[in-house]
Amino acid sequence: MTLVLFCLACASASAAATEPCPPARAGISDLGFTAYQENGQFGGSNVDLLRELQRRTGCPIELIWFPHGRLYAQFYDGQLELTGASLRTPERDRYGIWLPYTYTQFELVLRNDSAGKFHSLAEFVEHSKARLNVPRGISYSPATLVQMQRLQQLGRLEFVNDYQAVFRKIVAGRAEGTLASPTIHLRYQRQHQLLGQMRASFFAESPRTIVGLYISKQVPPPIRRRYVDSLRSIISDGSVQRYNAHYLGEEISRQMFLGGVQDILDAMPREP
């Protein structure tokens, strides 16, 4: 396995050295430890991955920050060659090719005084009066969307610009919780001194799923293949797990990748 990865890296480096690669614009947005801005700098596991992808492909990648709701409009309009962390959807598939690289799972995150033993979002809708805030532009499972619609009809769900706004409203007492993965909510709990004041639990409507990035169909196939080969090597050599462990700790990263990465590699397109 080590020899195979070494050969892949050598092939990638050789291609990068001999074939010109046009610059790419990658859209990123506020997603906690996945991507964030701090003191004028970008950080997060997805940012680390994109920088490593630049190194292994030899393709310059410019990171551009957008509100999450605007990012995909820019991608659909041909203004971006790459997206940051993305769940796969039919609409996004019309404009780009999805390249998987990690896992995610939404949790129901509530202040302690509103938390309960909710095994599903349906139970939360029926047995709580707590209000949720969520950002615009986030993709959810169909089963989750059904319960979110119920919450909206009850006046218990509000859409805001980003997760920063979500947690500001929780601190201000204008909402009691949100839906977010650990990668997202742990950063904002730490930032707003909410650790120990909130509880997070997985819910039945949102199983663990694979996250990827999109590469525009406008990118020529030979360049797309270069990205796929480099991303495959980043996944196979454990780099993605290390990026997550750096921000979340070893235990959470281990749980995220329980069972390994073969499902991710199997989902990688063969002819990008």
Side-chain angles (χ1 to χ4, degrees), residues 52-66:
E52 182 63 11
L53 200 58
Q54 173 179 263
R55 188 185 73 81
R56 297 197 193 193
T57 60
C59 302
I61 297 176
E62 179 187 6
L63 302 179
I64 307 175
W65 186 268
F66 291 101

Side-chain angles (χ1 to χ4, degrees), residues 45-58:
S45 56
N46 182 239
V47 171
D48 293 349
L49 179 135
L50 288 167
R51 287 173 175 157
E52 182 63 11
L53 200 58
Q54 173 179 263
R55 188 185 73 81
R56 297 197 193 193
T57 60

Side-chain angles (χ1 to χ4, degrees), residues 36-142:
Y36 61 85
Q37 288 192 88
E38 189 170 272
N39 300 321
Q41 302 294 317
F42 298 139
S45 56
N46 182 239
V47 171
D48 293 349
L49 179 135
L50 288 167
R51 287 173 175 157
E52 182 63 11
L53 200 58
Q54 173 179 263
R55 188 185 73 81
R56 297 197 193 193
T57 60
C59 302
I61 297 176
E62 179 187 6
L63 302 179
I64 307 175
W65 186 268
F66 291 101
H68 200 75
R70 279 190 53 210
L71 191 155
Y72 292 100
Q74 295 291 312
F75 185 66
Y76 301 157
D77 196 39
Q79 301 303 308
L80 298 171
E81 285 71 43
L82 298 166
T83 71
S86 300
L87 292 173
R88 189 175 189 180
T89 71
E91 183 179 20
R92 295 170 187 175
D93 283 350
R94 289 172 53 199
Y95 299 90
I97 295 163
W98 185 69
L99 309 182
Y101 68 86
T102 190
Y103 295 105
T104 193
Q105 187 169 8
F106 283 99
E107 293 181 296
L108 174 61
V109 189
L110 294 167
R111 298 204 71 136
N112 288 343
D113 55 5
S114 297
K117 294 182 179 180
F118 304 116
H119 301 292
S120 68
L121 201 54
E123 286 185 9
F124 168 73
V125 174
E126 293 161 8
H127 302 295
S128 173
K129 297 188 181 300
R131 301 161 296 172
L132 302 183
N133 273 201
V134 296
R136 299 179 184 89
I138 303 292
S139 293
Y140 303 94
S141 71

Side-chain angles (χ1 to χ4, degrees), residues 76-266:
Y76 301 157
D77 196 39
Q79 301 303 308
L80 298 171
E81 285 71 43
L82 298 166
T83 71
S86 300
L87 292 173
R88 189 175 189 180
T89 71
E91 183 179 20
R92 295 170 187 175
D93 283 350
R94 289 172 53 199
Y95 299 90
I97 295 163
W98 185 69
L99 309 182
Y101 68 86
T102 190
Y103 295 105
T104 193
Q105 187 169 8
F106 283 99
E107 293 181 296
L108 174 61
V109 189
L110 294 167
R111 298 204 71 136
N112 288 343
D113 55 5
S114 297
K117 294 182 179 180
F118 304 116
H119 301 292
S120 68
L121 201 54
E123 286 185 9
F124 168 73
V125 174
E126 293 161 8
H127 302 295
S128 173
K129 297 188 181 300
R131 301 161 296 172
L132 302 183
N133 273 201
V134 296
R136 299 179 184 89
I138 303 292
S139 293
Y140 303 94
S141 71
T144 300
L145 288 172
V146 168
Q147 301 308 322
M148 290 174 69
Q149 185 175 27
R150 292 178 65 195
L151 283 169
Q152 198 166 22
Q153 290 170 347
L154 292 168
R156 292 169 51 200
L157 180 69
E158 182 180 353
F159 290 90
V160 296
N161 285 339
D162 52 36
Y163 277 106
Q164 190 67 264
V166 166
F167 280 86
R168 284 176 181 152
K169 292 188 72 173
I170 291 172
V171 169
R174 296 168 62 191
E176 286 75 49
T178 189
L179 304 177
S181 69
T183 312
I184 295 171
H185 69 73
L186 285 174
R187 171 170 168 79
Y188 295 107
Q189 285 197 63
R190 293 176 189 176
Q191 183 178 346
H192 293 280
Q193 290 82 50
L194 289 169
L195 287 173
Q197 299 180 43
M198 302 193 77
R199 279 190 278 170
S201 58
F202 295 117
F203 55 94
E205 293 88 351
S206 184
R208 187 176 79 155
T209 189
I210 299 175
V211 173
L213 58 85
Y214 271 95
I215 183 166
S216 172
K217 291 182 178 178
Q218 296 179 11
V219 175
I223 302 300
R224 296 202 301 256
R225 282 194 290 273
R226 187 184 297 187
Y227 279 106
V228 169
D229 291 343
S230 296
L231 184 58
R232 186 182 293 276
S233 72
I234 291 170
I235 296 163
S236 298
D237 70 13
S239 294
V240 175
Q241 293 96 314
R242 288 192 290 274
Y243 301 151
N244 282 280
H246 173 73
Y247 295 99
L248 300 173
E250 294 287 347
E251 179 58 24
I252 294 177
S253 179
R254 187 185 67 79
Q255 289 295 326
M256 284 177 64
F257 290 92
L258 202 61
V261 296
Q262 193 58 52
D263 287 348
I264 297 173
L265 294 172
D266 289 345

